[in-house]
Amino acid sequence: MAFESTITENDMDPASQQFVQNLRGEAPDAEPDLAVDGMSESILSRILGLFGR
């Protein structure tokens, strides 16, 4: 598969992780942003919001 040779930030050494986090301007313990663009305006999101609140 094509994805077998990919790495994540967790696979990098600590110096490389720090470098990437500094490029983004993140705190070391920041939660990853898992938001999907446009998802908050979707019909499904609005319907789930009605039942969830």
Side-chain angles (χ1 to χ4, degrees), residues 8-10 21 24 26-36:
T8 64
E9 288 183 33
N10 296 333
Q21 289 171 350
R24 286 196 208 127
E26 291 181 352
D29 297 331
E31 290 288 323
D33 182 17
L34 301 177
V36 177

Side-chain angles (χ1 to χ4, degrees), residues 5-35:
S5 63
T6 60
I7 63 168
T8 64
E9 288 183 33
N10 296 333
D11 297 331
M12 294 190 294
D13 62 283
S16 297
Q17 286 180 354
Q18 185 68 30
F19 176 74
V20 171
Q21 289 171 350
N22 287 338
L23 286 177
R24 286 196 208 127
E26 291 181 352
D29 297 331
E31 290 288 323
D33 182 17
L34 301 177

